[in-house]
Amino acid sequence: MRILLVSDSHGNNEALDELIAKWPNIDLYLHAGDSESHPRGIYPFRSVRGNCDYSFDMQEELLIPTPFGNILMRHKKEVSTKKLDDFAVKVFIYGHTHVPECVKRKGVAFINPGSISYPRSEFGSTYMVLDLGKNVIDVKLYSLENDKILKRYRVSLVEAQKEEQEKDQEIPPKDEVEELERQLAVIEQELTEIRSKKKK
């Protein structure tokens, strides 16, 4: 599933139209708020209401079910762990800071595409393309000016506990097993000799 993600366009609808034209084969267009436009003016983007938006046709947050897990989107980053847990959120999308970010916290990917109008990072005006799969999300940060990939993130959507279980279940390489068995045999031999000496 491919998602085009933008935020904080602040009236720059021409840039949104250009992105739609450049990326026609997208499954979901998302805007994390502060478009300063009516939802019809930024269609097909689905948007939440930012602190500079005044359209009552926008919701404060959107919960978007996908075949690969739930996406929760709101303009500001503040969200409770309980809400993320209650809605089984895999990806949390936000804007407001005008600074791109992609980090994983307690099994949830926190993603901010930055701003396409008033950037506050060294990357300049940015947007993201997300390829969402069963266990992994591939995130590319693009420059609005030249569409070059500025940064790439690969986030596992597997829960932390499951990841640890999978690590525990990993079988060591054969040579490591043989070395451990050899060391164990030496230790057992030394213990046998020590016990024998004690009996004497």
Side-chain angles (χ1 to χ4, degrees):
M1 182 176 188
R2 178 161 281 189
I3 300 169
L4 180 65
L5 176 60
V6 301
S7 188
D8 297 272
S9 53
H10 292 282
N12 189 0
N13 291 358
E14 289 183 3
L16 298 179
D17 291 339
E18 288 174 7
L19 287 175
I20 294 167
K22 288 176 184 175
W23 296 89
N25 300 317
I26 291 290
D27 299 303
L28 189 61
Y29 295 86
L30 295 179
H31 194 303
D34 274 0
S35 66
E36 297 188 41
S37 300
H38 190 276
R40 288 194 297 269
I42 61 172
Y43 182 82
F45 283 94
R46 295 180 65 183
S47 181
V48 289
R49 187 186 303 121
N51 55 292
C52 294
D53 292 322
Y54 301 102
S55 174
F56 292 103
D57 293 325
M58 290 181 182
Q59 297 174 268
E60 293 292 334
E61 62 184 32
L62 286 176
L63 181 67
I64 305 164
T66 79
F68 309 108
N70 291 335
I71 297 173
L72 180 66
M73 182 170 69
R74 57 181 295 129
H75 184 58
K76 293 188 178 180
K77 191 176 184 178
E78 292 76 20
V79 64
S80 68
T81 302
K82 184 178 186 303
K83 177 171 281 190
L84 296 175
D85 291 342
D86 288 348
F87 291 107
V89 174
K90 287 291 185 181
V91 181
F92 176 65
I93 291 171
Y94 67 100
H96 187 60
T97 66
H98 295 217
V99 177
E101 181 181 42
C102 181
V103 295
K104 182 179 175 183
R105 296 188 181 98
K106 297 182 179 179
V108 179
F110 282 65
I111 298 176
N112 185 330
S115 171
I116 63 173
S117 292
Y118 301 104
R120 296 174 185 157
S121 78
E122 70 275 17
F123 296 114
S125 299
T126 55
Y127 66 96
M128 285 179 170
V129 174
L130 285 56
D131 285 295
L132 189 61
K134 183 178 180 181
N135 294 319
V136 174
I137 179 169
D138 186 47
V139 182
K140 298 183 188 74
L141 178 70
Y142 284 89
S143 165
L144 182 68
E145 283 77 19
N146 53 31
D147 298 306
K148 287 185 178 179
I149 298 175
L150 302 173
K151 203 165 184 179
R152 187 170 181 175
Y153 311 83
R154 189 172 172 84
V155 184
S156 170
L157 296 179
V158 180
E159 295 178 7
Q161 184 178 3
K162 188 175 179 182
E163 286 177 343
E164 291 302 320
Q165 289 174 349
E166 289 176 351
K167 286 180 183 178
D168 292 341
Q169 293 170 1
E170 287 180 0
I171 300 173
K174 185 178 179 181
D175 56 343
E176 288 186 18
V177 174
E178 290 175 349
E179 176 61 20
L180 289 170
E181 288 176 343
R182 186 190 67 78
Q183 293 177 10
L184 183 60
V186 171
I187 292 170
E188 288 177 344
Q189 178 63 34
E190 291 176 350
L191 284 172
T192 301
E193 292 175 359
I194 291 171
R195 292 191 186 105
S196 177
K197 288 178 181 178
K198 281 186 176 180
K199 288 180 181 179
K200 294 178 181 178

